[in-house]
């Protein structure tokens, strides 16, 4: 009785996915997971937007995204909102030492980076999600964090690193062989570093309330990835 449903032949599915089959942690178990593609008709106009914002179409580029407070109505979040300074240093490193351009993704309230050739800031682009997605689809690699747009890289089969990660090992937002996950540096009150495996075994990963208690009540230090670490993972993807 629903014309749109019938018109799309949704009542004659070729594949039915149950909720357990759609659990994101299952994505790495597929030998050849499919990926998204920008429709051909949209490529030209979206490429023009990048060029209009300072992109040199004759040089390679990467995409960068980290989360800062101030996006619409969403409140600040411990372990998700990050200090922009390491990413500012990474931007300089990529442009000066690796030879690429950096396209920053995000929202208009993000901290301003110094304007310079090779840096393209799409954070202030109004209604710019399509342009963000197109940039990721064409990027040599993507550096992201635990934020929604960080998952777009693997979805487009673009080599992706999720940095400053605190998610469980099975779900860091990057699920392909050429991807990488870089976790927070966690230290006990005595200064002992907690390895990622130990974080996993202790139930820290994916458990932000637990990590908050460790920090506030037990003197643990949870440290953001340093510029040198971000630079190493960028070079690995490069």
């Amino acid at each position: 009785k629903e014309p749109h449903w019938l018109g799309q032949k949704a009542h004659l599915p070729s594949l039915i996915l149950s909720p357990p089959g759609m659990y994101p942690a299952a994505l790495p178990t597929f030998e050849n997971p499919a990926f998204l593609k920008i429709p051909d008709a949209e490529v030209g106009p979206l490429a023009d937007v990048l060029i209009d914002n300072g992109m040199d179409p004759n040089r390679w580029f990467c995409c960068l995204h980290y989360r800062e407070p101030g996006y619409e109505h969403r409140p600040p979040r411990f372990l998700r909102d990050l200090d922009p300074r390491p990413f500012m240093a990474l931007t300089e490193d990529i442009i000066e030492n690796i030879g690429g351009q950096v396209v920053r993704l995000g929202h208009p309230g993000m901290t301003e980076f110094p304007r310079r050739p090779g840096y393209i800031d799409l954070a202030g682009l109004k209604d710019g999600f399509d342009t963000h997605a197109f940039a990721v689809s064409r990027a040599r690699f993507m550096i992201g964090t635990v934020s929604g747009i960080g998952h777009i890289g693997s979805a487009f089969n673009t080599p992706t690193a999720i940095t400053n990660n605190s998610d469980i090992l099975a779900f860091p937002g990057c699920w392909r062989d050429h991807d990488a996950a870089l976790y927070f540096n966690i230290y006990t009150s005595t200064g002992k570093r907690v390895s990622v495996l130990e974080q996993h075994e202790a139930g820290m990963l994916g458990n932000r309330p637990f990590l908050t208690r460790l920090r506030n009540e037990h003197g643990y230090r949870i440290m953001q990835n340093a510029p040198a670490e971000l630079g190493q993972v960028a070079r690995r993807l490069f």
Side-chain angles (χ1 to χ4, degrees):
K1 295 181 179 180
E2 182 62 50
H4 185 65
W5 175 269
L6 297 176
Q8 291 186 326
K9 297 185 178 180
H11 61 300
L12 300 171
S14 301
L15 175 67
I16 297 177
L17 296 174
S18 65
M22 293 188 291
Y23 183 56
L27 285 168
T29 68
F30 292 100
E31 184 175 354
N32 295 297
F35 56 88
L36 302 180
K37 179 179 181 293
I38 301 294
D40 292 341
E42 298 179 17
V43 169
L46 290 171
D48 289 341
V49 176
L50 290 183
I51 294 171
D52 291 344
N53 278 272
M55 166 73 67
D56 181 347
N58 297 311
R59 295 175 55 204
W60 69 267
F61 70 91
C62 65
C63 286
L64 170 68
H65 174 72
Y66 63 93
R67 176 171 161 150
E68 280 194 76
Y71 177 61
E72 295 183 346
H73 59 279
R74 299 184 185 182
R77 293 285 180 86
F78 171 57
L79 295 179
R80 296 191 68 190
D81 295 322
L82 299 170
D83 182 345
R85 289 175 293 181
F87 297 98
M88 191 181 299
L90 175 65
T91 297
E92 292 294 315
D93 183 25
I94 292 172
I95 294 172
E96 289 292 332
N97 301 316
I98 307 181
Q101 301 175 94
V102 177
V103 176
R104 186 175 72 155
L105 314 176
H107 62 81
M110 297 179 74
T111 300
E112 288 283 344
F113 283 11
R115 300 288 176 176
R116 56 159 300 158
Y119 170 60
I120 300 94
D121 190 8
L122 299 183
L125 201 63
K126 186 176 180 180
D127 299 325
F129 180 78
D130 287 352
T131 305
H132 289 179
F134 174 73
V136 173
S137 76
R138 295 305 194 267
R140 183 156 185 170
F141 59 85
M142 177 177 181
I143 303 290
T145 61
V146 181
S147 183
I149 200 168
H151 295 246
I152 294 179
S154 284
F156 278 109
N157 201 30
T158 298
T160 298
I162 299 298
T163 69
N164 297 285
N165 191 27
S166 59
D167 272 342
I168 60 174
L169 292 177
F171 187 37
C174 47
W175 59 84
R176 301 181 188 275
D177 290 342
H178 53 215
D179 295 341
L182 187 62
Y183 282 75
F184 278 112
N185 296 303
I186 300 180
Y187 295 86
T188 68
S189 59
T190 62
K192 178 183 179 296
R193 184 177 184 276
V194 183
S195 72
V196 175
L197 181 59
E198 290 170 329
Q199 293 177 37
H200 172 69
E201 292 176 340
M204 297 180 186
L205 301 182
N207 194 339
R208 295 189 185 98
F210 182 33
L211 288 173
T212 303
R213 290 198 304 274
L214 288 176
R215 183 193 65 167
N216 295 342
E217 301 173 15
H218 300 281
Y220 276 58
R221 289 183 299 143
I222 302 172
M223 300 180 66
Q224 185 172 331
N225 298 146
E229 294 176 291
L230 298 175
Q232 286 183 354
V233 79
R235 284 165 173 79
R236 171 175 174 169
L237 296 182
F238 174 75

